[in-house]
């Protein structure tokens, strides 16, 4: 351990996402984790207010943002990482299995321009890989399940878990997206549970749990082990998978899934503009019932 990171959280209520600014007090070097681009789906409008808030916080503190880190390709918000990169020169990092997610979704969107080698990102992290944010030591744990590419960033021993865990009173994230796997999710969570009990864990989302009226995003390994309503100690893998599968079957498709995924697998960039100079998102249409006959 070289020092304690300075951690600032930024909550985006429209998408229930928590982004983080994590800085090294010694050098002022910092990383942003899971930044959100403001996207108004009904109007097709994109804005950078949320990212500007993080950039301003970093500027006010005299931090230099050197990384913008994604825990996975999100299905609920569009990534603000390209804007952070454009403004600061920070490198965009994600887990190396993003290539699998790109391969899965390229045909879904018929995205001929989409590279499936991860090269739209600046760095692909492998399981166990170490890197630095200034003098802070960071390490990557591969924690698939919610998607095939999820990673957890351990920065000086503090975990940024993405959607591998939610707060103990809310449980876990869905595992039914293409390439998701409830068995893998359970094993990834168990991997996190082997970290020291006092390890601080920061969530990527919070929706409040029944009986809780405040948003929350910080917990510990000990709290997760003792009280997580889905995966506390003693819950067997098969029971978790049965619960998760039944629950996922009842969940509706996230509102921003299709826009978010096609942007986020391009490292947060939009598809190239058409000849008229306008960028369009693609919505694949499934014709059900008698709809095919009328199409
Ligand atoms: Fe997610």
């Amino acid at each position: 351990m070289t020092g304690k990171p300075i951690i600032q959280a930024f909550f985006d209520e429209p998408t229930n996402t928590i982004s983080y600014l994590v800085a090294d007090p010694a050098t002022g070097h910092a990383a942003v984790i899971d930044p959100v681009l403001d996207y108004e789906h009904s109007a097709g409008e994109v804005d950078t207010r949320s990212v500007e808030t993080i950039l301003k916080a970093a500027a006010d503190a005299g931090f230099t943002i050197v990384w913008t880190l994604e825990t996975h390709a999100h299905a609920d918000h569009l990534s603000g990482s390209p804007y952070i990169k454009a403004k600061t020169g920070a490198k965009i990092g994600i887990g190396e299995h993003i290539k699998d997610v790109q391969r899965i979704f390229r045909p879904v969107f018929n995205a001929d321009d989409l590279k499936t080698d991860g090269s739209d990102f600046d760095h692909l992290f492998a399981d166990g890989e170490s890197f630095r944010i200034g003098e802070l030591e960071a390490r990557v744990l591969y924690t698939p399940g919610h998607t095939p590419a999820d990673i957890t960033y351990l920065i000086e021993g503090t975990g940024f878990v993405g959607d591998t865990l939610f707060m103990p009173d809310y449980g876990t994230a869905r595992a039914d997206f293409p390439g998701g796997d409830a068995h893998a999710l359970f094993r990834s969570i168990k991997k996190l549970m082997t970290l020291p009990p006092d390890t601080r864990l920061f969530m990527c989302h919070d929706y409040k749990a029944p009986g809780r009226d405040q948003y929350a995003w910080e917990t510990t390994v000990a709290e997760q082990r003792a009280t997580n309503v889905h995966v506390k100690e003693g819950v067997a893998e098969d029971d978790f998978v049965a619960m998760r599968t039944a629950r996922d079957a009842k969940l509706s498709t996230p509102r921003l899934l299709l826009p978010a995924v096609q942007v986020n697998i391009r490292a947060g960039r939009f598809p190239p503009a058409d000849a008229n100079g306008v960028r369009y998102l693609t919505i694949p249409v499934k014709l059900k019932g008698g709809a095919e006959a009328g199409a």
Side-chain angles (χ1 to χ4, degrees), residues 103-126:
R103 275 193 287 270
I104 289 168
F105 281 103
R106 191 178 196 270
V108 171
F109 295 110
N110 196 26
D112 293 341
D113 66 296
L114 176 69
K115 289 173 269 180
T116 56
D117 60 0
S119 61
D120 279 344
F121 296 85
D122 298 306
H123 190 82
L124 302 182
F125 288 107

Side-chain angles (χ1 to χ4, degrees), residues 8 19 35 48 52 76 90 130 141 156 162 164 185 190 195-196 244 248 258 264 268 275 282 289:
Q8 281 178 264
S19 308
T48 54
E52 288 291 0
D76 40 53
S130 294
L141 291 181
E156 290 293 332
T164 299
L185 180 61
K190 288 291 147 183
L195 294 167
R244 192 64 266 170
D248 288 351
L258 293 168
N264 293 339
T282 299

Side-chain angles (χ1 to χ4, degrees), residues 72 74-76 146 163 205:
H72 63 296
H74 306 274
D76 40 53
H146 170 61
D163 294 358
H205 290 293

Side-chain angles (χ1 to χ4, degrees), residues 67-68 70 73 79 81-83 85-86 90-96 98-99 101-103 106 111-125 261-272 279:
W67 283 104
T68 179
E70 302 286 348
S79 167
S81 282
Y83 186 67
K85 177 177 173 171
K91 289 194 280 187
I92 305 176
I94 199 165
E96 63 178 348
I98 189 65
K99 291 183 263 188
V101 181
Q102 291 176 322
R103 275 193 287 270
R106 191 178 196 270
D112 293 341
D113 66 296
L114 176 69
K115 289 173 269 180
T116 56
D117 60 0
S119 61
D120 279 344
F121 296 85
D122 298 306
H123 190 82
L124 302 182
F125 288 107
V261 168
Q262 65 191 283
V263 167
N264 293 339
I265 57 177
R266 291 179 167 94
R269 295 182 191 91
F270 284 77
R279 294 175 192 267

Side-chain angles (χ1 to χ4, degrees), residues 2 29 66-67 130-139 156:
T2 55
H29 284 194
V66 293
W67 283 104
S130 294
F131 65 107
R132 282 183 175 269
I133 304 163
E135 291 176 7
L136 298 177
E137 289 176 5
R139 188 160 63 91
E156 290 293 332

Side-chain angles (χ1 to χ4, degrees), residues 190-273:
K190 288 291 147 183
K191 194 158 138 184
L192 293 178
M193 300 288 203
T194 64
L195 294 167
D198 61 350
T199 301
R200 298 166 77 196
L201 299 177
F202 287 91
M203 312 296 108
C204 181
H205 290 293
D206 188 61
Y207 305 92
K208 297 175 183 170
R212 170 156 62 83
D213 60 2
Q214 297 291 318
Y215 289 111
W217 44 77
E218 181 182 356
T219 179
T220 64
V221 166
E223 283 174 355
Q224 293 283 14
R225 284 169 63 163
T227 65
N228 187 292
V229 291
H230 293 168
V231 284
K232 64 182 175 228
E233 257 170 35
V235 175
E237 180 170 334
D238 286 348
D239 292 336
F240 169 78
V241 170
M243 178 282 301
R244 192 64 266 170
T245 306
R247 199 175 156 98
D248 288 351
K250 292 194 199 128
L251 296 175
S252 51
T253 304
R255 196 173 62 89
L256 295 183
L257 174 98
L258 293 168
V261 168
Q262 65 191 283
V263 167
N264 293 339
I265 57 177
R266 291 179 167 94
R269 295 182 191 91
F270 284 77

